[in-house]
Amino acid sequence: MSFFNSAETMSRSSIEDLQLARLKETLEHVYKNGSYYRRKFDDAGVEPGDVKSLDDLSKLPFMSKEDFRAGYPLEMLCVPREELREMHMSSGSTGTPVVMAYTQADLDQWGECVARCYRMAGMEKGESVQITPSFGLFNGGFGAYHGARKADLFIIPAGAGNTDRQIKLINDFKVKCLLGVVSYGIRIVEVLKEKKLALPSLTTGIFGAESFSDSMREVIEGELGIEAYDIYGMTETGGIGTTGMDCKFHNGIHVWDDHYITEIIDPQTGKVLPDGETGEVVFTSLTRQAIPVIRFKTGDLTRIVSREKCECGRTTVRIDRIKGRCDDMLIVKGVNFFPKQVEQALLEIPGVLPHYQIIIEENNGVRDVRINVEAEPGVTGYMVEKHLKEKLGFSPAGDVFAPGALPRQEGKAVRVFYKNCSK
Ligand code: DLL
């Protein structure tokens, strides 16, 4: 078992001491150098000196995507512009994009976080990784690259798309690890099946950017013959892998807590929840320079699984794999559910394929759900409806389509569609 560096196995008390020291430094830095942050703190009537312990973090105001949008393009910057070396941006579904800018130190910090992820997935020096997210404004491609450089891997920077060529590259260069967004893992599975090909050299997959059910993970692992890891991160915290990944024991995501403090809050009240309770995860960065985050509300739902040492030897806090986004929750006929639960239930039905749509349809003021799903011959709409009723407690109409019939998308998959109504 190998670690990228010793911070991963520090004692809990040393981590907490380090977190407090770094938190104080970060607060001083943003207050002194970031007019955006200073204004926010002043409005909330707090200043860095008010934070004397980690518990005092809860005195500080939250940040959200709205701060980033209002701060477009570089209003939130806490360093002179000449110190910037790179930027990434996520467009999201609505309005102004979210920008993250990096100093050299920020790029090093990012690279270190991702390098830890590679080692955690068993990737040693000189082993090969094929990077399949695009190399562009999306942080996935470059983050995977910066990390792979730090981890001394052999990089195949394939970028997005052209699945036939991706498969050829993996086989020609005997690639060990594939990194991509979850939907791309599924796309590769599909093309392999279609073309009756295999990827014998591949042992490891690192997937993220979307929440995926355990059943989806099993499909990817089974079809590609690999072990799949769940990598987590977002533009605002600095990108892919900054907020961790699961280890080979798959018992929660290890958050790199010498770099980020994790809190779980009630998304409605903002109150910090006890360990174990599900809520919105909030991150505070401890080592970032250009645009640090202070109590950034991610919109992602999870819970703290443990602060105890993991079987892998790492001592970081562990959070559950992401359940969905706060605003992903669907309510139909009084039943609340997340798209991931539908996915989990669908893929439990033998013959059902990992391509589906959840249609929310309004007729005469009443909302209903329809599930379109691809399946092998023999699977009927009735089978789908019956299983979903058992698992979710309500009965959406199920329409079964032939393999390949539903449209495919590039990048993160959109699974929920609205008809005669909106979110
Ligand atoms: O998606 C970073 C990334 C790229 C992570 C490639 C992993 C792999 P954004 O585009 O800013 O950045 O989107 C961030 O995506 O708040 C979550 O809602 C979701 N997300 C990211 N990773 C996971 C994951 C990248 N492992 C948003 N599981 C986050 C579930 C994830 N959701």
Side-chain angles (χ1 to χ4, degrees):
M1 200 139 27
S2 118
F3 304 110
F4 182 72
N5 60 26
S6 57
E8 295 164 67
T9 53
M10 284 165 83
S11 71
R12 199 71 234 154
S13 65
S14 316
I15 291 178
E16 286 173 5
D17 291 347
L18 185 64
Q19 283 185 327
L20 182 58
R22 288 180 167 177
L23 174 62
K24 287 179 176 172
E25 275 172 29
T26 298
L27 295 176
E28 293 290 346
H29 166 57
V30 300
Y31 199 70
K32 185 162 159 250
N33 303 312
S35 54
Y36 193 91
Y37 297 75
R38 177 190 283 263
R39 223 176 309 126
K40 222 175 141 83
F41 283 17
D42 288 348
D43 287 349
V46 288
E47 54 182 32
D50 294 338
V51 174
K52 298 190 171 63
S53 70
L54 289 177
D55 285 341
D56 289 338
L57 184 60
S58 60
K59 293 178 178 167
L60 300 175
F62 290 113
M63 278 171 71
S64 70
K65 270 192 191 305
E66 290 321 307
D67 289 291
F68 279 84
R69 295 202 168 113
Y72 181 87
L74 289 173
E75 292 303 305
M76 290 169 72
L77 212 56
C78 296
V79 297
R81 200 189 152 107
E82 312 79 74
E83 288 185 23
L84 298 185
R85 296 293 176 269
E86 190 169 317
M87 66 165 268
H88 289 282
M89 194 167 99
S90 74
S91 42
S93 45
T94 48
T96 318
V98 164
V99 171
M100 176 48 57
Y102 301 75
T103 63
Q104 185 55 52
D106 291 332
L107 290 174
D108 288 339
Q109 184 260 12
W110 191 13
E112 179 190 339
C113 290
V114 180
R116 288 181 189 179
C117 296
Y118 283 122
R119 285 286 186 275
M120 192 151 63
M123 293 296 292
E124 298 298 335
K125 277 188 182 181
E127 293 186 321
S128 47
V129 58
Q130 187 156 317
I131 298 175
T132 68
S134 64
F135 284 82
L137 288 170
F138 179 51
N139 64 75
F142 278 103
Y145 176 84
H146 292 308
R149 288 302 309 268
K150 280 242 187 283
D152 293 314
L153 304 182
F154 169 37
I155 300 166
I156 293 88
N162 200 343
T163 306
D164 289 340
R165 192 183 63 180
Q166 301 266 8
I167 291 171
K168 184 165 164 39
L169 285 170
I170 296 171
N171 283 331
D172 290 352
F173 291 89
K174 302 197 170 26
V175 172
K176 177 175 176 185
C177 175
L178 182 80
L179 185 146
V181 303
V182 178
S183 310
Y184 199 64
I186 292 296
R187 177 70 191 141
I188 292 198
V189 165
E190 182 175 43
V191 175
L192 283 176
K193 267 190 166 172
E194 239 171 61
K195 308 238 153 123
K196 302 203 169 28
L197 291 170
L199 300 172
S201 63
L202 209 64
T203 63
T204 309
I206 299 182
F207 297 104
E210 300 168 275
S211 45
F212 56 128
S213 61
D214 289 336
S215 330
M216 184 69 102
R217 189 205 282 249
E218 281 163 27
V219 170
I220 296 179
E221 289 188 325
E223 298 286 341
L224 296 181
I226 59 167
E227 179 159 6
Y229 294 84
D230 184 351
I231 192 164
Y232 180 45
M234 63 212 70
T235 309
E236 297 87 343
T237 54
I240 177 175
T242 47
T243 47
M245 194 179 83
D246 59 352
C247 67
K248 68 176 185 158
F249 294 95
H250 303 295
N251 199 358
I253 290 172
H254 285 277
V255 180
W256 305 126
D257 51 11
D258 53 326
H259 290 298
Y260 298 89
I261 296 177
T262 308
E263 297 173 278
I264 305 288
I265 62 159
D266 177 324
Q268 259 80 48
T269 64
K271 214 172 117 272
V272 177
L273 296 175
D275 285 5
E277 280 189 30
T278 298
E280 180 175 2
V281 59
V282 170
F283 291 114
T284 298
S285 67
L286 299 171
T287 49
R288 295 190 65 88
Q289 295 183 334
I291 307 182
V293 281
I294 311 294
R295 305 197 84 204
F296 174 69
K297 290 176 73 176
T298 60
D300 294 331
L301 288 170
T302 182
R303 66 190 173 96
I304 294 202
V305 172
S306 175
R307 294 178 197 267
E308 300 298 317
K309 182 172 173 176
C310 175
E311 279 180 88
C312 74
R314 289 178 183 80
T315 47
T316 73
V317 68
R318 271 172 287 150
I319 57 173
D320 211 352
R321 296 175 65 212
I322 305 303
K323 190 171 173 189
R325 294 190 55 80
C326 301
D327 53 9
D328 272 355
M329 192 173 77
L330 300 165
I331 308 177
V332 176
K333 294 188 176 156
V335 180
N336 305 355
F337 62 99
F338 284 93
K340 185 172 164 178
Q341 289 170 278
V342 175
E343 175 181 294
Q344 172 74 26
L346 283 174
L347 293 175
E348 285 166 3
I349 307 168
V352 162
L353 299 169
H355 301 281
Y356 64 94
Q357 299 175 325
I358 301 172
I359 318 275
I360 312 289
E361 196 173 6
E362 191 169 311
N363 287 315
N364 306 322
V366 181
R367 282 193 175 203
D368 229 324
V369 200
R370 163 173 300 280
I371 309 289
N372 293 338
V373 63
E374 289 181 15
E376 310 281 2
V379 178
T380 63
Y382 174 71
M383 286 159 71
V384 170
E385 285 164 18
K386 187 163 167 279
H387 190 73
L388 291 182
K389 167 99 181 151
E390 263 168 45
K391 291 292 157 127
L392 300 176
F394 72 102
S395 194
D399 271 342
V400 175
F401 289 77
L406 295 176
R408 302 291 187 259
Q409 304 148 352
E410 274 225 355
K412 301 189 192 206
V414 179
R415 303 287 193 190
V416 183
F417 298 87
Y418 291 86
K419 217 171 151 188
N420 304 332
C421 59
S422 61
K423 210 169 188 175

